[in-house]
Each structure stands twice: as C-alpha cells, then as structure tokens.
Amino acid sequence: MKGNEVRELTDQEIAERIEQLQEERFRLRFRSGTQQLENPILLRTLRRDIARLKTAQRERELNGGTR
C-alpha cells in the first residue's frame, strides 16, 4: 500500500484497515513461532503498511481535517 493510496481513504476506512492488518500480523507472528512462513517478508510489509496508515491518521488529527 502506497502513501498516496492511504491518503485517499476515509478516516473510517483507515481505522478498519489498521485493525485488519494488525490482526493479520498477529496471526502471522503466531504462526512463525510454530512453523516456517512461506513469505517472511510479509511481516515487514504488514508492519510498514500499519505505520503508513497510522501516520496518515495522525496527520489528519493534527490538521483537523477529515475525509
């Protein structure tokens, strides 16, 4: 997910997407503890996507603007 894509989302969509990605990341981390992942880079990608979403969410809070 790119920064431009994130900024096009509404506040509600960002919050929902953060929740979905955190849940997916939890499942992958749990599974990585018991077995080898097919794509270990996916954990890094999820972490960065969550960070992008949270950054966009915080920018909107500071600017007072919502979509």
Side-chain angles (χ1 to χ4, degrees):
M1 179 173 282
K2 301 288 182 179
N4 295 336
E5 295 172 9
V6 171
R7 287 183 178 86
E8 292 175 2
L9 299 175
T10 65
D11 290 343
Q12 183 64 29
E13 290 172 335
I14 289 175
E16 290 172 1
R17 190 76 175 128
I18 288 172
E19 187 176 325
Q20 291 170 355
L21 291 176
Q22 285 178 335
E23 186 174 329
E24 185 177 349
R25 182 173 174 246
F26 172 77
R27 287 190 190 129
L28 281 175
R29 285 180 55 215
F30 190 82
R31 194 168 35 173
S32 72
T34 58
Q35 63 186 4
Q36 187 173 357
L37 297 176
E38 294 176 16
N39 186 4
I41 301 301
L42 188 57
L43 280 170
R44 182 187 321 163
T45 305
L46 286 173
R47 190 179 72 237
R48 290 181 179 177
D49 284 346
I50 291 169
R52 280 187 196 99
L53 288 164
K54 286 186 174 185
T55 300
Q57 189 177 45
R58 182 67 178 148
E59 285 175 353
R60 289 183 185 182
E61 286 176 11
L62 293 175
N63 293 333
T66 59
R67 284 193 179 200

